[in-house]
Amino acid sequence: MSELSKVQQKKIHPHKFTLWVALGSIIMMFAGLTSAYIVKRNQDGWQGFELPRLFWYSTFVILLSSVTVQMALRSFQEREMSRYRLMITITAGLGLLFITLQILGFMAFEAAGMKMIGRGSSPSYSFILAIGGLHAAHVLGGVIALLVMFIKAFSKRSRSYNSVPIEIVTTYWHFVDVLWIYLFIFFSWLN
Amino acid sequence: MSNEATVHVEQGAVHEVLEHHDEHHHHETFITKYVFSQDHKMIAKQFLITGTIWAIIGGLMSVLFRIQLGYPDATFPFLEDIFGHWAKGGKIQPEFYYALVTMHGTILVFFVLTAGLSGTFANLLIPLQVGARDMASPMLNMLSYWFFFLASIVMFSSLFVETGPAAGGWTVYPPLSALGDASQGSKIGMDLWLVSMALFVVSSLLGGLNYISTILNMRTKGMTMTRLPLTIWAIFFTAILGVLSFPVLFSGFILLLFDRHLGTSFYLSEIVINGKILPNEGGSAILYQHLFWFLGHPEVYIIILPTMGLVSEVMSVNARKPIFGYMAMVGSLFAIAVLAFLVWAHHMFVTGLNPFLGSIFVLLTLLIAVPSAIKVFNWLTTLWRGNIRFTPAMLFAIGFVSMFISGGLTGIFLGNSTLDLHLHDTYFVIAHFHIVMGISAFLGMFAGVYHWFPKMYGRYLNSTLGYIHFWVTLVCAYVIFWPMHYEGFAGMPRRYYDYSSWESFKNFVELNKVISFAAMLSFGAQLMFVFNFFYSIFHGRKVTTKNPWHSATLEWTTPINPGHGNWPGEIPEVHRWAYDYGKDGKDYIDQTTPVGKDESGH
């Protein structure tokens, strides 16, 4: 038994490993979409665009949220539970703000005359909505995970000092952050 | 650190559960044991039984459309009694025919040979053969089954909507699938199809993550990667293929949903339906095909790799010989897994693909023949001079190799773009892929079911019925698909509803009857297997020893009916590879036996 756990000690926690594989899977999905975008861009009838300024703000917000989620993890490890609760709350709030800004960004995009959906829409613009929307859905998933952490942190019945769940959420949060940075640069350069 | 503490605590918890088992004081209710079970063995059984039900439905569909193809002029009034206006006047209507073909493909490819096959054997064998109490995350594992169940419910309900289920082929190519006005099957049935498949993708991702994580992280002491049985290697590569390719299919579906409901034009351009010009511009239907086949090709290996693993294991055990060329087997699995991602465009030679690009895909496609041939060679040399025990499982394993050779050879024809242009839309392709991934995969799966049934239920399947099942299935499979090669050479197109109006295909009328008859007979044999399966769960001959097949792998060191946690005491330590058969004059040495001083190395 003790020997067995010694062997296990050197290894990454299985749940964390599972997360990394899952991230690989999400990468494949966005790789599929962005390569479809590249192929489409090199064909006739591609219509260029400029990203609305709102997307700069949302990029700043999600970068900031990565800082706060890291601070939440640090607080948890230092057993500063009140600061931890504050930080995950702020992070979840920033996540929701990011999603709101994205939606406003899509609306500004439409308002500029570049139709993403419906009659007269162009696939060039629709891609922004499909890819950006899918990313926002992943951020929403992160927010839901944070809410679960939040409820757990306020639960009186059980106290857990196991940091694996918050480590997993933190990694995921950084991942959706980096993913957005990738998409943002992608849309800004290849438009 | 905290990390280590968790692992420790979790193991402690499992130990507690086990002690409860020993004392027969377990607190499991019917719900936690049989319905929302987190025990990998129960989840495996759930996948197997759900897959079996789907196989009956999907098989029945093929019988129905074979009735149309074999007897295009006859009427069967009982069909109208059952299916109403779908079989008006006792004759299967064209819309019904296309719905049947589409759903037959979807059900068999995804619900039976992906979920039913991987779900069953990955869940059953991974923890048992690597020496783990359960999967890395039993919770995700349970969710994987329930997402599959939801997907099944949605797909099943699509069979009963007024406009019928999806009917644009199992590949659901746009523009047909994107436009509700284009056909009956592109209305609500298509939406249900997409929702169901999205749930299915989630299920298979959750499953795949767990399989990879468990194989890499949860092996018992001494179980190095090169001591793993080939079943586990095969499932490992299958899971990697699934995790990397299903998301791409998912992104293809998302764009399709956008086109269907948000008026976008990802796949649509310059289309006229019933004289009405559609506004969509700038899309490309080929884009969907790329996204689809980027999954679609790995998908055929997701189907066949697990059965290759099962067959290797069953064959070695029943030939009483080590598997020939273990590392070559692993290497060829790896090679197939890599090549799987590089050949998708060979499904698209007829779309007007750039011939230069085509030639690259031809080369990569033909390269797959190399690892496939290595595997076949190794199976044959494993059989060579073995003390073969012809159990039903072994017969199915040998049948698998026979089918895989027959189907693999025609793959070399089709991999050449020049030949493919002629053969692609004919029965030759139907014959090829049914033999190489349909029948082969089924035979491999049956080998697995007959071999591991004693581990699942503590009872044997009836062997006599098993032998009848094997021979009828094998003969019928060849009678069904062999003649289709000739029909394909003669140019008989696939997907058609009725061939009787073509002078050139009139000489195939009798042949089509023979094929249809064999299809029905074969379906009957499968029903007999299903009877055998369910009967044996309750009334089969009981297993009396832990290791009925004298197999060297770990799953046979567990009790006959293992509880949740698999081993009552410590997890055994592994000292050798999984294939010490007939070594140093001993019939077999199981993996837990330490290597003796006087023993020769391997």
Side-chain angles (χ1 to χ4, degrees), chain B residues 80-336:
Chain B
E80 190 175 8
D81 297 339
I82 302 170
F83 298 107
H85 71 275
W86 293 102
K88 203 185 281 168
K91 203 168 150 37
I92 286 172
Q93 297 300 302
E95 292 84 11
F96 189 34
Y97 174 81
Y98 287 114
L100 284 172
V101 175
T102 302
M103 295 313 285
H104 168 77
T106 306
I107 290 170
L108 267 299
V109 168
F110 292 111
F111 288 70
V112 181
L113 291 175
T114 302
L117 175 66
S118 281
T120 304
F121 289 103
N123 277 309
L124 179 73
L125 295 179
I126 292 174
L128 284 173
Q129 289 196 332
V130 307
R133 299 271 179 218
D134 205 315
M135 287 287 181
S137 172
M139 178 70 187
L140 284 187
N141 210 25
M142 179 181 81
L143 282 178
S144 161
Y145 175 74
W146 286 103
F147 268 102
F148 171 54
F149 187 80
L150 270 180
S152 296
I153 296 287
V154 175
M155 192 61 85
F156 191 68
S157 65
S158 85
L159 301 177
F160 298 98
V161 296
E162 197 191 343
T163 49
W170 77 281
T171 54
V172 299
Y173 282 171
L176 182 58
S177 63
L179 301 165
D181 295 335
S183 89
Q184 286 277 310
S186 300
K187 296 190 196 318
I188 180 80
M190 191 62 229
D191 287 316
L192 290 170
W193 192 95
L194 285 168
V195 170
S196 167
M197 285 306 299
L199 292 167
F200 183 88
V201 169
V202 173
S203 153
S204 82
L205 288 177
L206 292 176
L209 295 178
N210 239 326
Y211 306 154
I212 297 173
S213 182
T214 310
I215 293 169
L216 290 181
N217 296 299
M218 311 281 281
R219 300 191 308 279
T220 184
K221 193 174 179 216
M223 181 63 90
T224 56
M225 289 300 276
T226 50
R227 284 178 181 166
L228 286 174
L230 286 170
T231 36
I232 303 300
W233 273 109
I235 289 165
F236 179 61
F237 287 119
T238 306
I240 292 178
L241 287 179
V243 161
L244 296 181
S245 64
F246 269 113
V248 180
L249 178 74
F250 194 75
S251 47
F253 285 167
I254 286 172
L255 300 187
L256 186 55
L257 276 173
F258 265 70
D259 275 5
R260 284 180 63 79
H261 296 294
L262 296 176
T264 56
S265 316
F266 289 112
Y267 303 135
L268 303 172
S269 194
E270 293 154 24
I271 295 164
V272 180
I273 296 182
N274 301 328
K276 203 178 104 204
I277 301 168
L278 298 186
N280 305 78
E281 236 181 297
S284 147
I286 303 292
L287 174 62
Y288 174 85
Q289 296 195 19
H290 279 292
L291 291 173
F292 181 88
W293 286 114
F294 191 82
L295 158 95
H297 199 79
E299 172 63 26
V300 308
Y301 296 110
I302 290 172
I303 288 173
I304 207 70
L305 287 185
T307 61
M308 287 177 164
L310 298 175
V311 163
S312 304
E313 178 69 18
V314 168
M315 202 166 258
S316 175
V317 171
N318 288 299
R320 311 310 295 159
K321 274 181 66 190
I323 191 81
F324 187 90
Y326 175 85
M327 283 315 285
M329 285 301 226
V330 175
S332 55
L333 284 172
F334 176 72
I336 291 175

Side-chain angles (χ1 to χ4, degrees), chain A residues 1 3 5 8-9 11 13-15 17-18 21-22 25 28-29 33 36 40 116-118 121 123 126 134 162-163, chain B residues 2-4 6 8 11 136 205 209 213 216-217 221 243-244 247 250-251 254 262-266 282 287 294:
Chain A
M1 182 64 209
E3 262 183 84
S5 45
Q8 298 258 356
Q9 274 171 23
K11 288 184 183 165
H13 190 284
H15 292 176
F17 183 84
T18 307
V21 183
S25 169
M28 282 306 288
M29 179 159 66
L33 286 167
K40 205 89 213 53
M116 293 171 161
I117 52 172
S121 64
S126 308
L134 201 58
N162 176 8
S163 70
Chain B
S2 54
N3 190 352
E4 295 138 23
T6 339
H8 211 93
Q11 280 167 353
L205 288 177
L209 295 178
S213 182
L216 290 181
N217 296 299
K221 193 174 179 216
V243 161
L244 296 181
F250 194 75
S251 47
I254 286 172
L262 296 176
T264 56
S265 316
F266 289 112
L287 174 62
F294 191 82

Side-chain angles (χ1 to χ4, degrees), chain A residues 6-108:
Chain A
K6 248 181 229 161
V7 176
Q8 298 258 356
Q9 274 171 23
K10 290 180 221 140
K11 288 184 183 165
I12 178 173
H13 190 284
H15 292 176
K16 284 192 202 166
F17 183 84
T18 307
L19 176 77
W20 283 105
V21 183
L23 297 187
S25 169
I26 298 173
I27 288 173
M28 282 306 288
M29 179 159 66
F30 283 92
L33 286 167
T34 47
S35 58
Y37 177 99
I38 292 172
V39 170
K40 205 89 213 53
R41 188 171 167 270
N42 293 325
Q43 287 172 351
D44 296 336
W46 179 260
Q47 286 166 306
F49 55 83
E50 187 111 347
L51 280 184
R53 182 161 292 273
L54 271 164
F55 287 108
W56 285 92
Y57 300 145
S58 64
T59 308
F60 175 73
V61 167
I62 201 166
L63 276 173
L64 191 66
S65 73
S66 250
V67 176
T68 56
V69 81
Q70 191 63 35
M71 285 163 77
L73 174 65
R74 176 75 64 83
S75 319
F76 188 92
Q77 283 165 343
E78 290 166 0
R79 300 284 178 269
E80 295 273 0
M81 295 321 258
S82 58
R83 201 169 71 202
Y84 161 69
R85 285 192 286 257
L86 179 68
M87 282 302 155
I88 55 172
T89 314
I90 292 177
T91 310
L94 288 173
L96 289 175
L97 180 62
F98 171 80
I99 295 167
T100 316
L101 284 171
Q102 293 294 88
I103 293 169
L104 291 174
F106 296 140
M107 284 159 76

